[in-house]
């Protein structure tokens, strides 16, 4: 009867172990920790390192979008006139309000265009155009009349739209920016900074339609009820040379805005992408050469972008599946160890001149000195830590490459050993031995007394 109870308890213990394996072992395997990458503490470049001439522009800002890194800035918080970059905010609000209704038509009223001066398409009162035509006119051709028409459509009045522009600037953290019109025509009370312009440009960059339109080299406004077709060319010369005599086209450039006023100088806001890296370049208040053959906003932006692409890159520091170490396996009759490899790739944004042998260090640790079979394929068993100049920049889980089954015989022996060396067993043995000793001593005393008294009454 006692023997039956023992085997029932053993069977129950095995069942509990199997359940625990399902609920505690398998989740650890399937929910393996992911790669963690820390921000690398990089320093912004100096003017001499970048190689720009600060005498030909007022302020500049160079930013890597993927890594939230300011590569370079010059007087980023100085107040400047925004000139045509005002149209970035106008475009943001217009696309958010009207971007899903591109085919809708609008009949232009005199009120919509009465304040439009400077660079215009020539929209007329009573002319019918589409929302799409207006957006392309604004963001490709830099048309001031399109800016005012869109302001009326979105805000109801120009004044209300300007209030919306200032409110959005504040929301985006562009707290030094103040708008007084939707087109960028000079007004001494309308100011911004290079840093503010970058924040606003990043909001525009997040709108696919904005980037699609502002990256278009040219657009044809179809014939309307009051005009033949009209060709519109992008005023950002980094994107196209069509419609201008300059050769500033930059490979990979896209969006956002460029223009000039007499008081504000030349400004350009653009992005450029190559090899998975995207940079935003902002140049404000630039000059042009006396003969008009050079515009220093474009030349400065080109220098900034060239520097960024030459100086930084995404460097792969750890390959997925890279062999790191071996770890012993216990309770298996088929394998004494398993190999641990990296579970993911680690690629980090770093200076191109990084010395991988000096600046990068790799150390690993395992979760224990050994693994107990069964071991499952892709079971996490350690981590690899990567540092850049003693700064941790990544932790990658280490996983097993193969599964290893458990030997029933070795497992049984280990259970017996564990039981035999366990606290309960030792206490039981000591207690049994103590009781035996007490029994033997007690019995000896009892027999001694019995013999003594038997002799007394003989």
């Amino acid at each position: 009867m006692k023997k039956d109870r023992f085997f029932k308890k053993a069977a129950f213990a095995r069942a509990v172990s199997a359940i625990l394996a399902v609920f505690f072992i398998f989740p650890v395997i399937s929910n393996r920790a992911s790669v963690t990458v820390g921000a690398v503490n990089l320093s912004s470049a100096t003017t001499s390192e970048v190689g720009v001439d600060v005498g030909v522009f007022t302020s500049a800002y160079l930013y890597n979008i993927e890594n939230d890194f300011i590569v370079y800035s010059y007087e980023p918080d100085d107040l400047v006139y925004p000139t045509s970059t005002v149209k970035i905010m106008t475009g943001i609000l217009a696309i958010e309000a009207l971007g899903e209704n591109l085919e809708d038509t609008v009949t232009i009223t005199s009120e919509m265009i009465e304040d439009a001066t400077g660079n215009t398409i020539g929209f007329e009162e009573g002319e019918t155009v589409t929302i799409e035509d207006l957006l392309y006119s604004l963001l490709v051709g830099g048309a001031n009349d399109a800016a005012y028409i869109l302001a009326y459509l979105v805000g109801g009045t120009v004044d209300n739209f300007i209030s919306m522009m200032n409110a959005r600037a504040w929301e985006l953290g562009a707290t030094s920016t103040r708008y007084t019109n939707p087109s960028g025509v000079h007004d001494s009370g309308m100011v911004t900074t290079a840093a503010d312009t970058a924040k606003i440009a990043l909001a525009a960059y997040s709108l696919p339609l904005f980037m699609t339109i502002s990256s278009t080299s040219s657009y044809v406004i179809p014939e309307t009820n009051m005009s033949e077709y009209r060709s519109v060319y992008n005023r950002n010369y980094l994107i196209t040379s069509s419609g201008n005599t300059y050769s500033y086209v930059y490979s990979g450039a896209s969006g956002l805005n460029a223009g000039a006023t007499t008081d504000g100088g030349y400004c350009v806001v653009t992005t450029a992408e190559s090899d998975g890296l995207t940079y935003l370049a902002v140049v404000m208040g630039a000059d042009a050469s006396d003969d008009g053959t050079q515009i220093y906003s474009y030349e400065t932006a080109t220098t900034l972008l060239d520097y960024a692409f030459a100086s930084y890159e995404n460097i792969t520091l750890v390959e997925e599946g890279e062999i790191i170490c071996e770890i012993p396996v216990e309770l298996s009759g088929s394998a004494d160890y398993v190999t641990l490899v990296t579970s993911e790739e680690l690629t980090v944004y770093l200076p191109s001149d990084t010395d991988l042998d000096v600046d990068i260090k790799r150390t690993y640790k395992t979760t224990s000195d050994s693994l107990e079979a069964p071991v499952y394929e892709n079971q996490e068993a350690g981590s690899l830590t990567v540092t850049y100049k003693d700064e941790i920049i990544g932790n990658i889980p280490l996983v097993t490459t193969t599964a290893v089954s458990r030997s029933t015989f070795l497992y049984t022996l280990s259970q017996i050993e564990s039981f035999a060396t366990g606290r309960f067993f030792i206490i039981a043995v000591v207690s049994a031995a103590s009781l035996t000793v007490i029994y033997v001593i007690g019995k000896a005393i009892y027999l001694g007394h019995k013999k003594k008294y038997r002799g007394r009454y003989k």
Side-chain angles (χ1 to χ4, degrees), residues 155-175:
T157 66
V158 170
D159 287 343
N160 188 50
F161 185 79
I162 293 170
S163 295
M164 295 170 64
M165 295 173 71
N166 287 314
R168 177 56 63 85
W170 186 268
E171 290 174 6
L172 295 174
T175 55

Side-chain angles (χ1 to χ4, degrees), residues 113-252:
I113 56 176
E114 62 183 356
D115 293 326
T117 59
N119 177 55
T120 65
I121 293 293
F123 291 122
E124 299 182 47
E125 179 184 358
E127 186 172 5
T128 299
V129 294
T130 66
I131 299 297
E132 184 176 38
D133 294 336
L134 292 171
L135 288 173
Y136 274 89
S137 297
L138 173 76
L139 298 178
V140 176
N144 295 341
D145 47 358
Y148 274 91
I149 295 167
L150 289 166
Y152 269 97
L153 294 176
V154 175
T157 66
V158 170
D159 287 343
N160 188 50
F161 185 79
I162 293 170
S163 295
M164 295 170 64
M165 295 173 71
N166 287 314
R168 177 56 63 85
W170 186 268
E171 290 174 6
L172 295 174
T175 55
S176 296
T177 297
R178 181 173 179 267
Y179 297 112
T180 60
N181 67 60
S183 67
V185 169
H186 178 70
D187 184 316
S188 60
M190 186 158 61
V191 293
T192 189
T193 68
D196 276 8
T197 302
K199 293 174 183 176
I200 296 165
L202 288 173
Y205 179 81
S206 70
L207 301 173
L209 182 58
F210 189 108
M211 294 304 296
T212 296
I213 295 175
S214 65
S215 300
T216 302
S217 60
S218 64
Y219 178 77
V220 176
I221 302 174
E223 181 181 347
T224 70
N225 60 321
M226 300 184 69
S227 174
E228 299 292 330
Y229 75 87
R230 285 161 284 195
S231 296
V232 180
Y233 298 98
N234 202 311
R235 289 167 62 84
N236 182 352
Y237 299 161
L238 295 173
I239 293 180
T240 181
S241 60
S242 299
N244 68 78
T245 59
Y246 298 97
S247 300
Y248 289 120
V249 173
Y250 194 89
S251 177

Side-chain angles (χ1 to χ4, degrees), residues 175-457:
T175 55
S176 296
T177 297
R178 181 173 179 267
Y179 297 112
T180 60
N181 67 60
S183 67
V185 169
H186 178 70
D187 184 316
S188 60
M190 186 158 61
V191 293
T192 189
T193 68
D196 276 8
T197 302
K199 293 174 183 176
I200 296 165
L202 288 173
Y205 179 81
S206 70
L207 301 173
L209 182 58
F210 189 108
M211 294 304 296
T212 296
I213 295 175
S214 65
S215 300
T216 302
S217 60
S218 64
Y219 178 77
V220 176
I221 302 174
E223 181 181 347
T224 70
N225 60 321
M226 300 184 69
S227 174
E228 299 292 330
Y229 75 87
R230 285 161 284 195
S231 296
V232 180
Y233 298 98
N234 202 311
R235 289 167 62 84
N236 182 352
Y237 299 161
L238 295 173
I239 293 180
T240 181
S241 60
S242 299
N244 68 78
T245 59
Y246 298 97
S247 300
Y248 289 120
V249 173
Y250 194 89
S251 177
S254 58
L256 296 157
N257 181 270
T261 65
T262 302
D263 296 280
Y266 290 87
C267 298
V268 63
V269 180
T270 195
T271 59
E273 189 275 334
S274 179
D275 295 328
L277 293 174
T278 308
Y279 291 95
L280 169 67
V282 177
V283 180
M284 307 294 288
D287 300 326
S289 62
D290 293 338
D291 60 6
T293 60
Q294 294 174 283
I295 302 177
Y296 297 122
S297 58
Y298 294 111
E299 296 192 359
T300 301
T302 296
T303 301
L304 292 175
L305 293 170
D306 283 347
Y307 171 82
F309 286 120
S311 301
Y312 300 90
E313 61 182 288
N314 287 323
I315 300 178
T316 298
L317 302 178
V318 178
E319 299 281 357
E320 180 180 355
E322 190 175 331
I323 296 175
I324 301 301
C325 65
E326 294 175 343
I327 186 170
V329 176
E330 299 176 352
L331 306 184
S332 172
S334 60
D336 296 326
Y337 63 86
V338 290
T339 302
L340 300 186
V341 299
T342 53
S343 61
E344 301 286 348
E345 175 188 284
L346 177 64
T347 299
V348 181
Y349 178 74
L350 291 170
S352 299
D353 61 359
T354 298
D355 188 330
L356 300 183
D357 294 326
V358 176
D359 298 329
I360 303 298
K361 295 291 186 296
R362 310 191 332 168
T363 58
Y364 73 87
K365 64 178 180 180
T366 57
T367 54
S368 59
D369 293 334
S370 63
L371 298 177
E372 186 176 290
V375 174
Y376 302 90
E377 185 178 357
N378 289 324
Q379 178 176 330
E380 186 177 338
S383 63
L384 177 71
T385 299
V386 182
T387 60
Y388 169 71
K389 295 183 177 179
D390 299 323
E391 175 188 359
I392 295 177
I393 59 174
N395 283 294
I396 303 95
L398 301 180
V399 297
T400 57
T401 56
T402 57
V404 179
S405 60
R406 182 171 64 192
S407 166
T408 302
F409 174 72
L410 293 177
Y411 177 71
T412 301
L413 288 181
S414 72
Q415 293 296 98
I416 293 173
E417 179 184 3
S418 177
F419 178 75
T421 58
R423 182 180 178 185
F424 174 79
F425 180 80
I426 293 174
I427 292 174
V429 170
V430 171
S431 298
S434 299
L435 290 173
T436 300
V437 171
I438 293 171
Y439 172 77
V440 171
I441 294 173
K443 186 172 182 179
I445 293 173
Y446 169 76
L447 292 176
H449 279 286
K450 185 176 180 181
K451 182 177 181 181
K452 177 180 178 181
Y453 285 111
R454 186 186 300 142
R456 181 182 297 178
Y457 294 106

